[in-house]
Amino acid sequence: MSAAPAKTTAETAASYGLSAAEFAVIVQRLNREPNEVELGVFSVMWSEHCSYKSSKIHLGKFPTTGPSVICGPGENAGVIDIGDGQACIFKMESHNHPSYIEPYQGAATGVGGIMRDVFTMGARPIALLNALRFGDPSHPKTKRLVAGVVAGIGGYGNCVGVPTVAGETNFHRGYDGNILVNAMCVGLADADKIFYSAAPAAGLPVVYFGSKTGRDGIHGATMASAEFDDASDEKRPTVQVGDPFAEKLLIEATLELMASGAVAAIQDMGAAGLTSSTVEMAGKGGVGVELDLDRVPQREDGMSAYEMMLSESQERMLAILKPGREEDGQRIFAKWGLDAATIGRTTDTGHMVLRHQGQVVCDVPLAPLFDDAPLYDRPWTQPVLQARLDPASLPAPADLAEAILTLMSAPDMASKRWLWEQYDRHVMADTLEDSATGADAGIVRVHGTRKALAVTSDVTPRYVQADPYEGGKQAVAEAWRNLTAVGAEPIAITDNLNFGNPERPEIMGQIVRAIDGMAEACRALDFPVVSGNVSLYNETNGSAIPPTPTVGAVGLLADYARRADFSGMRAGHALVLLGETRGELGASMYLREVLGREDGAPPPVDLALERRHGDLVRRLIQTGQATVVHDLSDGGLIAALAEMALASRTGATLDNSTAGPANLFGEDQARYLLAVPDPAPILAAAKASGVPAAVIGQAGGDSLAGPSFTIPLARLRAAHEAWLPEFMES
């Protein structure tokens, strides 16, 4: 018989990431001091990562319903209706802290974890995305972190057999001490076969299946809710270790178990492991639960109750089966070679009771753990905003061609071919557009139909830094625009809100105003939030990351033959610019990379214009009038045209209306560049819709040219392609 769990104090709680006030609340709720196991359970469930205690009151501003929404926030992932009895299930989550400490396993287990969130609801994963932010390339850790993260994403996703089809990668010194690794998964399911996590009744068996429980990842959720310091590398043992081959078996076993009709409720073991899965299933169902931890499949000898409950070992699931269905479950688990055990039952007590080696080591009410965690309305200050820059006040570059080459070879703008060639983008044989093909969103066919899903992830951190409200609006608008630019009807978003320490009023101000902007854009564009993740305390030694509220979005193409990309420009095509150019250069790539400045207000986002312009572009694509479309974002017009020319292997010449840095590099929003054989119908449609439109040049030749510059495509390609491989090989 093991010794009873140790008693705890406020000092013990502080070492677990709980404040003295929070410890006092726990004592009040229990009417006694918690033991070590109980305190561990409270610490992970009350962590920022699990409880959203600093952001929950603001997350309520998001619209979460709509005609296509089947399930919004609150479950493992969001669910939307895509017609014909089919549903799309998707979510984005962070694995930032683990990836900084141990980049390969941190990124790999981030991919594994987000897939479990999707298939635990009954969906087969069909696409992966990622949004990566690294530090300055000159920082001594950056190259190792890039290599490890990319290898981890590819190593896990490729082995499981799910294509990685889209994403974004940025570099900035603001991420030197705290990189961001945001992973998104998209899956397909039958709309009438969605599985939820709420335990439906008392007296049902609780079944553990998947990999054995080890000591990896203990207190991972707590680590994800704390700042870094100079001793961060000592936290390496809290990083989980993934096995993609076990994940593949787990996917197949889980989907087969669901198809058998044996499942009453199901939940993956993610952050906080067995603790969070148990608490959420029982809490959502309003029941209690009793577990016998001696029955938990264990990878290591002598594991304590505390270690088992807080382990974040990967590739594990928890299911509540219908009465008398344990044998069906065991047969399926044995078929797939997975560990499985009935480790407890649901009860009518409203408590979580844990037994280990003959003793009750935890007996706590579920309500304080599940839905009564501390909730903070943290003080915040209005962000200090940058003034708008007058483009006429900025110096023109001495050599325009060199300025364009500098822009297109900058770390954020340079080709990421080195990176995405390490990902399997075509496994499952349904990928239609991906990072390599030249499209604003990844497109994956809904197998056996004419439908396809378009997926993207977007945010411009420099905009959010300069003005969190406008930057939040722009993150949503750009995701909507990228789906639109391939011809998809935008349906819904997931988000990953990455910020610094919310206990600092200036950081909390970034959070509040970014959410305000995002929520306004979601309402204006009928683009509800159906799932998401909040990652706070992303800072090291008091230095916070740039605010990075990443938006992952999904749209639907009714017929994938009617889609657009930007790789089909041909000689003789007219270049048509939709949208108005004022020459917004504040917080722009040109300002940063060519002029060496990071100031100025970001371009304002007019959501009514976004709606009007996007609706026109989508209509042109869906009617077959436009097949070559690119939205304008980082780098403005010249960057969009350069990317089109490189993807199409066709040159282009701009006319005199585009002269000057403001026209070439301005990052005004709600704009699209089209290449079409005959511009007349496009201009007529734009006029009828009240959308500014103009022919600004023509495709052809082997150079990118315009007023005062000519760049051979071969030279442009060399500059654009060279930076990342040279950086990684240097």
Side-chain angles (χ1 to χ4, degrees), residues 390-406:
D390 179 1
S393 69
L394 298 173
D399 187 326
L400 201 50
E402 285 301 320
I404 294 168
L405 290 169
T406 296

Side-chain angles (χ1 to χ4, degrees), residues 506-551:
E506 67 274 20
I507 300 297
M508 197 65 216
Q510 293 177 345
I511 297 169
V512 171
R513 292 303 286 154
I515 289 175
D516 287 344
M518 294 173 71
E520 182 178 335
C522 288
R523 286 191 296 270
L525 299 173
D526 291 328
F527 211 21
V529 180
V530 296
S531 61
N533 173 241
V534 175
S535 176
L536 306 182
Y537 296 94
N538 286 290
E539 50 186 84
T540 297
N541 293 327
S543 178
I545 61 162
T548 312
T550 310
V551 172

Side-chain angles (χ1 to χ4, degrees), residues 21 33 80 144 192-193 206 218 227 324 566 639 656 682 684 689:
E33 292 179 347
I80 55 174
R144 178 182 67 85
D192 61 351
K193 295 175 184 173
V206 178
I218 292 173
E227 297 178 33
F566 54 81
N656 288 330
I682 305 297
S689 297

Side-chain angles (χ1 to χ4, degrees), residues 320-335:
I320 295 174
L321 299 187
K322 296 175 182 176
R325 300 302 297 270
E326 289 104 317
E327 278 192 25
D328 294 330
Q330 291 292 345
R331 174 181 49 78
I332 292 168
F333 305 140
K335 170 186 172 181

Side-chain angles (χ1 to χ4, degrees), residues 548-559:
T548 312
T550 310
V551 172
V554 174
L556 180 68
L557 293 106
D559 181 354

Side-chain angles (χ1 to χ4, degrees), residues 20 22 41 59 68 77 152 161 187 212 215 261 310 345 385 407 490 495 541 615:
E22 288 170 341
V41 166
L59 296 177
S68 296
K212 289 182 170 67
R215 291 189 170 96
L310 272 64
R345 300 189 82 76
L385 304 182
L407 178 75
D495 60 52
N541 293 327
D615 287 351

Side-chain angles (χ1 to χ4, degrees), residues 276-570:
S276 65
S277 54
T278 302
V279 168
E280 289 177 18
M281 293 178 83
K284 288 176 183 175
V287 300
V289 65
E290 187 168 318
L291 302 183
D292 181 351
L293 299 183
D294 295 332
R295 297 183 182 180
V296 172
Q298 298 164 50
R299 193 169 67 229
E300 302 177 47
D301 294 333
M303 291 191 71
S304 67
Y306 175 92
E307 290 171 328
M308 280 185 272
M309 291 304 295
L310 272 64
S311 167
E312 293 187 7
S313 294
Q314 297 292 285
E315 294 89 38
R316 300 181 301 159
M317 304 288 283
L318 200 65
I320 295 174
L321 299 187
K322 296 175 182 176
R325 300 302 297 270
E326 289 104 317
E327 278 192 25
D328 294 330
Q330 291 292 345
R331 174 181 49 78
I332 292 168
F333 305 140
K335 170 186 172 181
W336 292 102
L338 298 175
D339 284 289
T342 300
I343 64 171
R345 300 189 82 76
T346 56
T347 68
D348 59 4
T349 65
H351 276 230
M352 180 169 73
V353 178
L354 308 177
R355 300 182 186 276
H356 186 230
Q357 296 182 358
Q359 293 191 53
V360 174
V361 294
C362 173
D363 186 347
V364 295
L366 279 157
L369 293 171
F370 172 65
D371 60 4
D372 196 19
L375 191 61
Y376 297 120
D377 187 359
R378 296 198 184 276
W380 59 280
T381 56
Q382 286 283 355
V384 177
L385 304 182
Q386 298 275 334
R388 181 180 182 270
L389 294 180
D390 179 1
S393 69
L394 298 173
D399 187 326
L400 201 50
E402 285 301 320
I404 294 168
L405 290 169
T406 296
L407 178 75
M408 296 306 296
S409 62
D412 280 8
M413 299 297 296
S415 168
K416 303 304 185 296
R417 179 188 299 275
W418 177 92
L419 183 153
W420 47 250
E421 281 187 342
Q422 299 185 50
Y423 304 151
D424 191 332
R425 307 181 306 280
H426 296 280
V427 65
M428 302 179 78
D430 282 319
T431 303
L432 300 174
E433 304 281 357
D434 63 66
S435 305
T437 54
D440 283 312
I443 302 178
V444 180
R445 178 172 46 204
V446 177
H447 197 76
T449 75
R450 299 292 299 172
K451 297 184 299 187
L453 295 172
V455 295
T456 185
S457 66
D458 297 286
V459 66
T460 310
R462 62 185 188 276
Y463 291 175
V464 191
Q465 183 86 59
D467 185 336
Y469 174 71
E470 287 295 333
K473 284 164 61 179
Q474 194 273 343
V476 173
E478 185 172 348
W480 192 85
R481 210 158 53 230
N482 281 334
L483 297 179
T484 291
V486 298
E489 293 282 352
I491 299 177
I493 73 168
T494 181
D495 60 52
N496 202 149
L497 308 181
N498 306 275
F499 292 90
N501 184 344
E503 297 169 47
R504 294 166 53 194
E506 67 274 20
I507 300 297
M508 197 65 216
Q510 293 177 345
I511 297 169
V512 171
R513 292 303 286 154
I515 289 175
D516 287 344
M518 294 173 71
E520 182 178 335
C522 288
R523 286 191 296 270
L525 299 173
D526 291 328
F527 211 21
V529 180
V530 296
S531 61
N533 173 241
V534 175
S535 176
L536 306 182
Y537 296 94
N538 286 290
E539 50 186 84
T540 297
N541 293 327
S543 178
I545 61 162
T548 312
T550 310
V551 172
V554 174
L556 180 68
L557 293 106
D559 181 354
Y560 57 72
R562 294 294 178 96
R563 67 181 191 271
D565 58 27
F566 54 81
S567 66
M569 183 171 69
R570 298 294 179 259

